[in-house]
Amino acid sequence: MDLMTPTITLTIFISLVISITQKMKPKAKLNIMMLLFLLSLIPINSLTNNNYTFTLSSSPLIMTSTENINISIMMDTLSLMFMPISLLITWSIMEFSTWYMKTDLHINKFLKLLMTFLIMMLIIVTANNMYQLLIGWEGVGIMSFMLIGWWNGRSDANMAALQAIIYNRIGDIGLIMTTMWLMNMSSMNMQELLMQYETTHTIPILGLLAAATGKSAQLGLHPWLPSAMEGPTPVSALLHSSTMVVAGVFLLIRLNPILQNNKYMTSLCLIMGATTTLFAAIAANTHTDIKKIIALSTTSQLGLMMTMVGLNQPTLAFLHMITHSFFKALLFLCSGSLIHNLNNEQDVRKMGGLEKTTPMTASFLTIANLSLIGTPFMSGFYSKDTIIETMMNSYINSWTLMMTMIATIMSASYSTKILLFSLTGYPRTNHNTHKEEKIIMNPLLRLMTMSILAGTMMKLSTLQTTTMITMPKTIKLSALIMTLIGMILSKDLTYMMNYMKPHTSNTLNTFFNQLLFFNMTHRTITMHALKTSQKTSTELTDLWFLETLGPKGITTTLIPMIHLSTQQKNLIKNYMMIFTLTLILYLMLPLSK
């Protein structure tokens, strides 16, 4: 087993690289992805009862006086559990893409970028030193930039791609700062680093927190995630489920021993996570674009994972990351199917009655939403319910618990809103709907199966060997009660809206809809910079610089000098007088002779 696990991991990496570099038909790439997924399931068997860690290192590539830099792969519970999940989701999304992007001329390039995205995420997951992690970290950033701006003929797509890369660069400063600190003060190797975690300073921890905030779109660096919806739907599905956004939380889970003894940092994670969860859930309720609602839902769930990191429960955060990956990918692909069938209509208010026209997609969308809100015995329930129970039984600030409970109500509310608006009632669209094609049912079916069974399957692994906790029945059922409240409120509000007159949004609604007015801040900063530069160029350059050193400046400098050397002052009277005097003198001279 010791030899088999590294061999399988290397086979996966090499096969992915070969499939990208060589020219292949999309179907061949899908077959490779399927085989690699089945191959990646083999090492999981050793993890069901044990928690082994395997490492595979190359000989040093760069030798320095302080340390040797080599390629090193770490295979433990986190990486070996995450690999088959990311491979399954990427395989399903690529298969969906062959239908969704069928008319795109560069479909092969698109699939290559998706596979490169997957490789970069696998590098992050299996990295055994900070150099490797940084390569994967920057790689997913570049891939997200290229894929979000795939339709680069649209200015919105270009802006969203730039927004994603700029926000991530702000967060990356933190990771680079941590890497530099570890290079000087500690070790770049993961095992050595985690062995001396008790002596860790606050600076690297702050850097890790900043990196996770940027990559996982926590409050403060959150606006890029809803904007990223400008990319094709398969990109959104991959970005939000198993790559990119979970990288930030994964980093904190991987390096959790560094964080766990620092109470200030764990408290900061807890507060940031709870605030993000609530804010994103409320913001999702104010939007009507189906993709933006699901995107803000991702931010909300990432906040929940961050809360668990703050509670020193990294395993629970990882469990929620796994279950969330499946139903979030399914949600995006279902929304993509609806958008494609409605000729690119994304507003839920213009949908309706789709349970009749697209019954399979409607069923899958319902299952994904039920899993998201934590319906008992579906995958989301096993992680979300356990998270809330853990918070109930821990010594945390009741404010954080209250934020999470309200966010649970809001999650149920926006999920019900999507279902009621898009699937039920009468059709509110003028578009001709296409038929559901067989090609998209296979990937959706796979993800739907995992959205139901993933939580139950995790019970077999070491991720859910939790202790038995006794608690009052009300506390045990609190998450379910909050979910039901959210669903009932959403249903009532939806039906009330049908009989209300149209009115302009109030300030609070606009505040959350505009994501804390961050978009306005973008515009304000840009406009101020533009105005300042305009004033600088016109007023300072034209009026001052050119006035003092240009033609006028030369004139004002030369005139006094001319006046000193000559009497020509441009005065006609002076000229006439001098001319007359000279003439009189000339006439008088012969007379004197």
Side-chain angles (χ1 to χ4, degrees), residues 529-545:
L530 194 66
K531 288 277 177 69
T532 309
S533 58
Q534 191 180 8
K535 282 181 180 177
T536 307
S537 62
T538 53
E539 293 182 13
L540 285 180
T541 310
D542 289 358
L543 300 179
W544 175 72
F545 187 76

Side-chain angles (χ1 to χ4, degrees), residues 28 55 71 91 192 216 312 344 358 398 441 445 458 463 489-490 493 526 560 572 574 578:
T55 54
I71 295 170
W91 168 35
E192 291 172 13
S216 293
N312 279 336
N344 302 323
T358 54
S398 56
M441 287 305 118
L445 198 61
M458 287 302 129
L463 289 176
L489 279 173
S490 181
L493 285 169
T526 314
I572 195 76
N574 288 1
I578 291 165

Side-chain angles (χ1 to χ4, degrees), residues 459-471:
K459 282 284 182 189
L460 302 172
S461 74
T462 52
L463 289 176
Q464 277 206 12
T465 51
T466 50
T467 54
M468 292 293 289
I469 303 167
T470 54
M471 62 183 88

Side-chain angles (χ1 to χ4, degrees), residues 10 20 118 121 246 372 425 458 591:
L10 279 177
I20 288 169
L118 170 67
M121 190 63 201
V246 294
L372 168 64
M458 287 302 129
L591 294 172

